Amino acid sequence: MTHAPASFALVAGAAASPVILHVPHSSRTVPADVRPGIVLSDTELERELDHMTDSHTAEIAERAAELAGLTPWRFVNRASRLVVDPERFPDEREEMTAVGMGAVYTRTSHREVLRPDGTDPEPLLERYFRPYARAMTEAVADRLAATGRAVIIDVHSYPTEPLPYELHGEGPRPPVCLGTDAFHTPPGLLAAARAAFAPCGETGLDSPFGGTYVPLDFYGQRAEVGALMVEIRRDTYMTEPGGPAGPGLSRLAESLAALVDSVTA
């Protein structure tokens, strides 16, 4: 039996670094055998990828890792979030299921049909979602074992104007939104992020997107696992939607590196 290559990559950092830069939504790749389950035309799919991909965030994380004094680890999704979204709950706990965007999306960013009603999510969950979750859990456990703690920094971006799928799109949309968790985001981590991203403009809190990603084995259980979501408004570093990166990318990478350095100092 042959196994498909992993749809994610763990890029090793320094042995003493507790930091994992997590990049879940940067890829546009839809595997050929997943494509038939999506009802969009090729043109429509490209436009949906423009809207839903956190373009260039993998490059921001890579540059930040190169700039950091102690190289962080990076966990990067190699498949599009239209395959599965590894950050969603795979069950009724996920509020985005209400708009067809649970772990396996059935609706587009504009609430149109992406997959037919009645699509069984289980094959995609088994092939993509659960291996990703296991690998991320192992990566965090490895940092805990090596350093006594783990700090997950989620690297995302979001559009300047709200998309119809957003449940909380009416709130502020600052240049940098910091998503927090009451248990896993200590005050020192939040303060370090505010200071690090100050050169990029205003930082906001949990709007338009909130919360953090922590593997369920640790969620609400292990305070040694810190977590922060960094949501970057796309007009600060790229042409929307889905266009090239601009000079703002370097500034963001420098700020992310500064955050990594403050966490590992």
Side-chain angles (χ1 to χ4, degrees):
M1 178 179 177
T2 58
H3 294 275
S7 59
F8 50 83
L10 177 63
V11 183
S17 175
V19 178
I20 300 172
L21 298 180
H22 181 220
V23 189
H25 295 156
S26 64
S27 176
R28 296 175 67 96
T29 299
V30 177
D33 58 345
V34 176
R35 175 68 179 92
I38 294 174
V39 303
L40 304 180
S41 70
D42 288 349
T43 300
E44 292 167 337
L45 177 57
E46 287 302 308
R47 176 53 51 144
E48 182 64 7
L49 289 167
D50 286 344
H51 287 305
M52 290 300 293
T53 303
D54 292 352
S55 299
H56 315 296
T57 50
E59 184 179 353
I60 292 172
E62 181 178 5
R63 286 206 199 176
E66 292 169 352
L67 292 168
L70 192 64
T71 305
W73 297 61
R74 285 181 289 131
F75 195 103
V76 184
N77 192 3
R78 301 298 193 199
S80 168
R81 66 194 298 186
L82 302 187
V83 179
V84 298
D85 191 330
E87 295 209 312
R88 303 282 199 245
F89 288 114
D91 52 34
E92 66 282 351
R93 290 172 292 179
E94 180 51 62
E95 69 169 358
M96 296 301 294
T97 302
V99 289
M101 286 189 167
V104 176
Y105 297 175
T106 58
R107 293 294 183 272
T108 70
S109 56
H110 289 70
R111 302 200 181 198
E112 296 163 354
V113 176
L114 181 75
R115 290 183 173 91
D117 289 337
T119 294
D120 181 8
E122 184 56 33
L124 290 172
L125 293 175
E126 182 62 25
R127 180 173 173 188
Y128 294 99
F129 186 92
R130 294 190 186 102
Y132 190 108
R134 285 193 296 269
M136 188 65 182
T137 300
E138 290 168 4
V140 172
D142 184 65
R143 292 300 84 214
L144 282 172
T147 73
R149 62 189 179 120
V151 182
I152 303 166
I153 301 175
D154 243 3
V155 186
H156 290 259
S157 70
Y158 71 95
T160 304
E161 297 297 328
L163 289 169
Y165 83 91
E166 294 182 25
L167 294 178
H168 311 289
E170 69 284 351
R173 302 177 83 82
V176 178
C177 161
L178 301 174
T180 66
D181 178 87
F183 186 83
H184 290 284
T185 310
L189 177 58
L190 183 57
R194 285 191 183 279
F197 284 99
C200 303
E202 179 193 0
T203 58
L205 217 58
D206 292 311
S207 174
F209 298 99
T212 64
Y213 175 78
V214 176
L216 292 178
D217 283 11
F218 308 106
Y219 185 69
Q221 306 291 324
R222 298 287 296 273
E224 313 95 290
V225 179
L228 180 76
M229 178 169 68
V230 177
E231 286 270 6
I232 304 159
R233 201 177 66 207
R234 291 176 187 158
D235 66 337
T236 64
Y237 75 94
M238 63 173 285
T239 302
E240 298 179 85
L249 187 145
S250 295
R251 183 174 61 246
L252 287 159
E254 290 166 4
S255 288
L256 183 56
L259 174 58
V260 171
D261 285 345
S262 67
V263 168
T264 54

